[in-house]
């Protein structure tokens, strides 16, 4: 299976404010014998049912930087990276409770015979959002570019083995760094993903960055190669 629906980009952290000359409200509360409440953690990332986004898909070690689209309609969603005129071209879909991945073109991958469409099994938007609820909050950051985007950085991973702390066998399978809008966690701006889902990439890491993302129904089309064979 090629690139999966989840991973971002390395972002620059927010610079620390200058030292204040007066005591902060937290210091004053502690001095007065009060314990301030910890800051509330923001809402985790959420994949909306309807959306449209455009950006770039980047594979650094292969020198690849190609157009990327991600669209959703009624809970189905589709990623498309590259195209027939680019060095890579693939699509990933959540469609009718099934996860599909189809690679048309990739360096070192023979195009004849054409690659089959892979069904990764039962999967839907609700399952994806349930996984996102387990993400760990890294902190607020600013992504620098043409537009400085204020984002919340989250990390989600999948590990095979014991879930107990201590010296137990564990194997990391996948890791994703997700950057979403601080005011709207259903607006995605960057994802870095690393793991066995990136098997075609020698470094196993790929990322995409969005230039636009808005909440309007997109176009999701299951490729003919992924349709059931006629009886």
């Amino acid at each position: 299976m090629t690139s999966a629906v989840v991973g971002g980009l390395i972002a620059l952290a927010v610079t620390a404010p200058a030292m204040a000359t007066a005591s902060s409200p937290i210091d004053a509360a502690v001095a007065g014998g009060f314990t301030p409440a910890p800051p509330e953690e923001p809402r985790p990332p959420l994949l909306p049912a309807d959306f449209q986004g455009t950006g770039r898909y980047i594979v650094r070690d292969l020198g690849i930087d190609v157009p990327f689209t991600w669209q959703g309609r009624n809970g189905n969603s589709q990623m498309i990276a590259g195209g027939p005129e680019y060095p890579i071209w693939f699509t990933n879909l959540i469609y009718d409770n099934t996860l599909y991945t189809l690679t048309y073109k990739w360096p070192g991958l023979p195009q004849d015979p054409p690659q089959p469409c892979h069904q990764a099994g039962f999967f839907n938007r609700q399952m994806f959002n349930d996984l996102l609820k387990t993400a760990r909050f890294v902190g607020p950051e600013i992504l620098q570019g043409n537009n400085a985007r204020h984002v919340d950085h989250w990390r989600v991973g999948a590990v095979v083995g014991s879930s107990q702390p201590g010296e137990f066998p564990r194997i990391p399978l996948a890791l994703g760094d997700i950057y979403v809008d601080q005011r709207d966690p259903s607006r995605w701006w960057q994802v870095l993903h690393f793991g066995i889902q990136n098997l075609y990439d020698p470094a196993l890491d790929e990322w995409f960055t969005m230039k636009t993302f808005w909440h309007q129904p997109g176009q999701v089309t299951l490729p003919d190669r992924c349709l059931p064979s006629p009886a």
Side-chain angles (χ1 to χ4, degrees):
M1 190 175 70
T2 100
S3 313
V5 176
V6 258
L9 173 71
I10 298 176
L12 294 178
V14 180
T15 57
M19 294 292 291
T21 56
S23 60
S24 69
I26 294 180
D27 293 334
V30 172
F34 299 101
T35 302
E40 183 178 353
E41 189 171 280
R43 292 174 294 162
L46 176 74
L47 183 67
D50 299 301
F51 64 94
Q52 298 181 40
T54 62
R56 308 292 297 182
Y57 196 89
I58 299 166
V59 189
R60 280 257 189 249
D61 56 310
L62 298 181
I64 289 173
D65 184 338
V66 299
F68 176 75
T69 62
W70 191 13
Q71 303 188 59
R73 176 180 286 269
N74 296 328
N76 294 328
S77 61
Q78 181 173 19
M79 294 179 171
I80 301 177
E85 69 274 30
Y86 294 100
I88 69 170
W89 180 21
F90 70 82
T91 182
N92 294 325
L93 300 99
I94 299 175
Y95 193 87
D96 285 350
N97 296 313
T98 303
L99 177 63
Y100 296 89
T101 178
L102 172 59
T103 301
Y104 299 98
K105 191 176 181 182
W106 192 274
L109 194 66
Q111 298 186 48
D112 189 22
Q115 294 294 312
C117 179
H118 296 283
Q119 293 188 26
F122 184 85
F123 194 72
N124 55 35
R125 171 176 165 266
Q126 182 61 53
M127 295 171 66
F128 185 54
N129 282 330
D130 286 343
L131 175 63
L132 293 174
K133 291 177 182 177
T134 69
R136 281 85 68 194
F137 180 55
V138 178
E141 298 182 8
I142 296 177
L143 299 180
Q144 294 185 340
N146 293 332
N147 296 310
R149 302 194 188 278
H150 292 253
V151 298
D152 284 330
H153 177 183
W154 295 81
R155 178 165 295 167
V156 61
V159 176
V160 170
S162 174
S163 61
Q164 300 299 316
E167 192 174 350
F168 297 100
R170 274 181 280 269
I171 300 176
L173 295 181
L175 179 69
D177 282 282
I178 302 170
Y179 301 82
V180 294
D181 194 283
Q182 289 182 357
R183 296 168 298 180
D184 181 2
S186 68
R187 191 180 298 272
W188 295 53
W189 291 122
Q190 289 184 154
V191 175
L192 167 67
H193 49 119
F194 173 89
I196 63 170
Q197 73 271 18
N198 308 103
L199 283 178
Y200 292 156
D201 175 23
L204 297 179
D205 64 330
E206 301 162 22
W207 56 275
F208 62 81
T209 177
M210 309 303 295
K211 293 183 178 179
T212 65
F213 196 103
W214 62 95
H215 294 92
Q216 295 180 357
Q219 185 68 38
V220 179
T221 304
L222 187 66
D224 292 342
R225 207 178 298 178
C226 298
L227 295 172
S229 300

